[in-house]
Amino acid sequence: MTTAGPTDTIGPTGDPPQYGPARPSATSQKSESSQDLSQLPLFMSSLDDVPEGTNDAIEALKALAYEGEPHEVAQNFRQQGNESYRSKYWRDAIEFYTKALAVGCSVDEINGACYANRAACNLELRNYRRTNLDCAEALKINPLNVKALYRSAQACLALDKIPEAEDCVQRGLVIDKYNSSLKAIQEKITSRKEVLVKLQQANLERDRLSKAKTVALERALQVRNVLQRTTSTRPPSLPEDAVVQLQNPLDPESCLCFPVVILYPLHLQSDFIRSLSENETIYSQLGDILSPLNLPGWDEKREYTYPGVEVLVEKKKYDMHGKPSLSRIGPKASLKKVLGEGKLELIDGILTVLVVPKVRLTEFVDSWKQENPN
């Protein structure tokens, strides 16, 4: 009796005998290892990941998913959606519910559940508008769908649509007056409503104060006869908080403070005073800015040592004779006095003065006249 067993063979290279099936060639091994595992059903995240017509086995599985009556296919997708939802794969669940609805089955219970469940997924993803749209479709099918009302209330609350959220809760409690979820969201709505009322009151009070401050400031400038002019642009290099302001923002009679730009036209340099009281003088500030111990680096000849400078004002607005004006400000003249006399304009909320060395005053005035001929 002969027993079948492995065949003893010697290869052309003198290899030892091989037992069992012949080992695949190197070429066939490479072919198998290079196969895209994502094309195998076991490793696929979705059957739809494979291009249509490229894998017959996958096409068969896809077709199988749509075999049966419409309500059976829809119910199958619905169950897959529920499984994805329980695993917190919200986007996958949305896809399954969408496929279930696309089948077009005539069972309201299935369609209504898919809309309500898809709304739950969108709620988790904070797609509140889509949540409300799906809830609306679910309620068209079944106006007594408490879950749809509850989820719509959550979405409306997240969007601060308080009346709509309250309406959903009230309709839900009419259907199920003991529903604990609806009562819990009702408490949240009431709490949020109180917060929004306080925020609205705070905004109204803020607007009222802002308007009152604006009126007080306008009144203060008017009483002091301050000339004002607005141009198209505000100097971009100045801080945002460089504004004219009252010491007491609601009292027009309190002290006014102004931002001031100091120009050194002979050297094309400048300094900035964030806030200068109307009761002070320009020279009082220059005493610090141009002190012998604090001279600017660009003043190589030390021409701007205080008090050896003059302060001038160039009015951009033409006078009654149709000429630009250039005025000198005295060392003892307060800002309030200079403004009241109309020598200085408030342009775009900023006061601008010119500072030149006394020894070069004539030089500057002559130059200025040449640039501004009669």
Side-chain angles (χ1 to χ4, degrees):
M1 181 174 181
T2 303
T3 304
T7 303
D8 296 337
T9 59
I10 301 296
T13 57
D15 293 333
Q18 295 184 7
Y19 300 93
R23 181 180 300 172
S25 66
T27 303
S28 64
Q29 283 183 325
K30 180 178 180 182
S31 175
E32 289 182 6
S33 62
S34 62
Q35 182 178 5
D36 186 358
L37 295 180
S38 66
Q39 302 299 308
L40 300 178
L42 180 62
F43 297 97
M44 294 175 60
S45 59
S46 172
L47 295 180
D48 294 331
D49 291 342
V50 179
E52 186 174 351
T54 60
N55 190 315
D56 293 339
I58 299 305
E59 293 301 322
L61 289 174
K62 285 184 181 180
L64 187 62
Y66 287 91
E67 285 190 358
E69 296 297 321
H71 71 276
E72 294 174 333
V73 176
Q75 178 63 13
N76 178 50
F77 282 129
R78 172 191 174 185
Q79 290 175 350
Q80 292 182 71
N82 291 345
E83 291 173 5
S84 295
Y85 180 86
R86 283 191 288 270
S87 299
K88 298 184 179 181
Y89 298 143
W90 316 121
R91 289 183 173 81
D92 291 344
I94 287 175
E95 183 177 350
F96 284 123
Y97 292 135
T98 301
K99 288 182 176 180
L101 292 168
V103 171
C105 84
S106 58
V107 180
D108 286 345
E109 188 273 333
I110 295 177
N111 292 333
C114 286
Y115 276 121
N117 292 347
R118 192 169 72 176
C121 296
N122 279 314
L123 190 63
E124 293 289 348
L125 294 172
R126 299 183 181 181
N127 297 327
Y128 301 124
R129 179 176 175 275
R130 294 178 183 177
T131 300
N132 278 328
L133 290 175
D134 281 340
C135 288
E137 293 298 326
L139 290 169
K140 286 180 184 178
I141 296 172
N142 179 15
L144 302 181
N145 191 326
V146 176
K147 288 185 177 180
L149 289 168
Y150 169 70
R151 288 162 186 166
S152 185
Q154 286 182 295
C156 289
L157 176 59
L159 296 171
D160 279 339
K161 294 183 176 181
I162 301 302
E164 292 88 341
E166 289 178 324
D167 178 67
C168 290
V169 170
Q170 290 169 3
R171 289 164 58 189
L173 290 175
V174 169
I175 301 168
D176 183 2
K177 63 180 180 180
Y178 298 112
N179 190 292
S180 59
S181 296
L182 286 173
K183 289 183 177 180
I185 196 69
Q186 186 178 44
E187 292 180 1
K188 292 182 179 179
I189 292 171
T190 300
S191 177
R192 182 58 180 169
K193 187 176 181 179
E194 293 173 354
V195 170
L196 291 177
V197 168
K198 291 180 180 179
L199 287 174
Q200 184 180 25
Q201 291 174 343
N203 288 334
L204 289 174
E205 179 63 16
R206 190 182 302 110
D207 290 342
R208 187 193 68 80
L209 283 175
S210 178
K211 291 178 181 178
K213 291 177 182 179
T214 300
V215 171
L217 181 58
E218 290 177 351
R219 178 59 180 166
L221 294 171
Q222 183 180 15
V223 169
R224 291 163 174 79
N225 297 317
V226 177
L227 297 177
Q228 300 183 68
R229 186 154 54 91
T230 302
T231 62
S232 58
T233 58
R234 178 183 175 86
S237 60
L238 300 182
E240 289 294 328
D241 60 348
V243 295
V244 182
Q245 55 187 328
L246 286 162
Q247 203 168 50
N248 180 349
L250 299 177
D251 183 8
E253 296 183 1
S254 64
C255 181
L256 260 177
C257 296
F258 299 84
V260 180
V261 172
I262 300 175
L263 299 180
Y264 306 98
L266 292 176
H267 285 78
L268 301 179
Q269 298 291 336
S270 66
D271 274 316
F272 176 65
I273 303 173
R274 186 182 298 271
S275 182
L276 180 61
S277 166
E278 64 181 345
N279 297 321
E280 294 184 81
T281 67
I282 297 293
Y283 285 87
S284 66
Q285 296 296 309
L286 293 177
D288 294 329
I289 297 174
L290 301 178
S291 69
L293 300 177
N294 192 34
L295 289 177
W298 49 263
D299 183 19
E300 297 177 356
K301 296 182 179 180
R302 297 296 186 261
E303 297 177 314
Y304 288 84
T305 304
Y306 181 83
V309 293
E310 293 282 1
V311 177
L312 305 171
V313 175
E314 180 183 41
K315 289 180 63 176
K316 302 299 181 182
K317 185 176 180 181
Y318 287 80
D319 63 16
M320 59 183 298
H321 302 293
K323 301 176 183 178
S325 60
L326 186 66
S327 303
R328 175 179 174 274
I329 296 179
K332 297 182 180 180
S334 67
L335 196 57
K336 184 175 183 179
K337 179 180 179 182
V338 174
L339 289 167
E341 292 175 350
K343 292 182 178 180
L344 187 58
E345 285 183 293
L346 184 65
I347 303 175
D348 295 328
I350 304 289
L351 297 178
T352 303
V353 298
L354 309 175
V355 174
V356 297
K358 289 183 178 180
V359 295
R360 300 184 63 181
L361 178 60
T362 301
E363 173 191 346
F364 171 73
V365 172
D366 291 342
S367 175
W368 183 88
K369 288 181 178 179
Q370 289 178 6
E371 295 176 1
N372 299 274
N374 294 337

